Amino acid sequence: MDVTKKILRNALGMARALKARAILVYADVFAGVAELAAFLEESAGQMVVVVTRERETYQRLKETSAQVILVPAVRLTRLGQIKIAVLLGLSRSIFEQGDRLICLTGISADQAVDTMVFLEVGEEYEIFSMGEHDGEGAQVNPLVFERVLDIAVALGSQGREGKPVGTIFVLGDTENVLTHSTPLVLNPFHGHSEEKRNVLDPALTETVKEFSAIDGAFVIRGDGLIEAAGVYLKPSEFGEQLPWGLGTRHKSAAGITATTSAVAVAVSASTGTVTVFRNGKILIEVERLKPIGSISTGKGEA
Ligand SMILES: Nc1ncnc2c1ncn2[C@@H]1O[C@H](COP(=O)(O)OP(=O)(O)OP(=O)(O)O)[C@@H](O)[C@H]1O
């Protein structure tokens, strides 16, 4: 039985029945380009957004009329893939709050679409909208959020030189954040010109990954300027509604977003999960597929 074909055929009917704005489809699980092209043709009239982690596929699809989202080239769970794609789609204004989506995915090693998920883009994705109490400078440029998410997901999935690493990136409302924190070490970004310490500069990605080994948090302005690394956060409030059992890294990341208007992105050294916090609450968690160093075929994984 060709599961992929059956799911694809039903996805179109499902999208109509549930009044979905778009079908999100993970290209890397298709057995070949022809199968994906046939699906795109069949779904003419329905908005389809193609997601891929392969730069080559992305470039190829960009030349067509398809809407494409390039996600970080790391192995995530099926739900992790969807969450990242929706976050990136929101940051690029492909989706908006309230949109209903049908998401089709699988695991690339299996070369089959085996999962259909219905998702309504809800409150949990409220990252880029300004809250009532947000002060000046609180807003985070979506490109900055994307770059940091990319680095965080790579660190969570791959660690550094085979070893797990954990860290926190605090984005936006920088002045306020700095008044609720204290340096743990001499700030490695101190004294560098503003042009040389913007996280949007791809040349800085490796440096940021390197400095993730330093204890503490990165403090990054909404426009991407890295103010400091190695900062200990001292929030005056801690978030409510946090799951039981969170460690100090995650509690302080949640707390700084309860105390200020910042967004925090925490990478867990123990699980590799990337968690995004705002207003003291977890907005989204992206789980990695397998522990660092484990060998896997990718078959049958969540
Ligand atoms: N207030 C803070 N500000 C910045 N970093 C912190 C803070 N509190 C803890 N950390 C960092 O978090 C590290 C891990 O702490 P802990 O294991 O309690 O947290 P956790 O939330 O369980 O994180 P992980 O999932 O990475 O283990 C500490 O070694 C420290 O580097």
Side-chain angles (χ1 to χ4, degrees), residues 32-49:
V33 187
E35 202 175 25
L36 175 64
F39 176 65
L40 291 175
E41 210 177 297
E42 218 177 291
S43 39
Q46 166 69 58
M47 176 175 165
V48 177
V49 179

Side-chain angles (χ1 to χ4, degrees), residues 32-278:
V33 187
E35 202 175 25
L36 175 64
F39 176 65
L40 291 175
E41 210 177 297
E42 218 177 291
S43 39
Q46 166 69 58
M47 176 175 165
V48 177
V49 179
V50 185
V51 179
T52 179
R53 62 178 189 186
E54 309 291 343
R55 193 159 279 282
E56 209 188 310
T57 313
Y58 175 76
Q59 296 297 3
R60 200 154 359 120
L61 286 162
K62 279 294 263 184
E63 286 159 18
T64 70
S65 57
Q67 299 233 52
V68 208
I69 298 177
L70 181 67
V71 290
V74 293
R75 297 175 65 234
L76 300 170
T77 59
R78 289 172 175 81
L79 263 182
Q81 293 161 358
I82 292 172
K83 288 178 194 168
I84 285 275
V86 173
L87 271 175
L88 297 182
L90 268 170
S91 104
R92 291 174 204 173
S93 306
I94 297 175
F95 309 127
E96 51 190 59
Q97 216 126 115
D99 278 354
R100 295 166 157 213
L101 307 173
I102 296 283
C103 310
L104 303 174
T105 184
I107 291 289
S108 33
D110 290 346
Q111 303 239 295
V113 176
D114 62 8
T115 309
M116 172 154 56
V117 176
F118 172 70
L119 187 140
E120 196 156 352
V121 184
E123 241 194 10
E124 69 271 31
Y125 288 97
E126 221 170 68
I127 290 186
F128 309 110
S129 56
M130 292 285 279
E132 285 174 62
H133 307 296
D134 292 353
E136 212 181 309
Q139 199 147 16
V140 178
N141 177 345
L143 290 177
V144 171
F145 176 75
E146 272 190 30
R147 176 60 53 85
V148 168
L149 191 67
D150 204 46
I151 295 174
V153 169
L155 283 174
S157 313
Q158 294 151 355
R160 208 65 198 135
E161 288 159 4
K163 292 200 193 94
V165 284
T167 191
I168 306 171
F169 299 95
V170 187
L171 313 179
D173 205 7
T174 309
E175 268 184 43
N176 222 346
V177 169
L178 288 173
T179 59
H180 289 93
S181 58
T182 184
L184 280 169
V185 291
L186 283 178
N187 177 10
F189 290 97
H190 181 77
H192 293 277
S193 66
E194 295 209 349
E195 306 83 73
K196 294 216 170 108
R197 53 188 171 104
N198 196 302
V199 75
L200 289 176
D201 178 358
L204 216 65
T205 301
E206 274 311 300
T207 309
V208 172
K209 286 184 176 169
E210 205 59 51
F211 287 164
S212 65
I214 303 175
D215 227 16
F218 290 85
V219 177
I220 303 176
R221 250 174 29 191
D223 63 1
L225 189 90
I226 307 176
E227 288 283 11
V231 163
Y232 188 78
L233 304 170
K234 296 195 298 178
S236 54
E237 284 175 52
F238 285 88
E240 292 163 25
Q241 307 167 19
L242 287 177
W244 185 85
L246 277 190
T248 54
R249 188 188 324 270
H250 290 79
K251 274 195 196 140
S252 63
I256 202 70
T257 71
T259 309
T260 70
S261 308
V263 172
V265 180
V267 181
S268 165
S270 48
T271 64
T273 296
V274 172
T275 310
V276 182
F277 297 91
R278 192 164 184 218

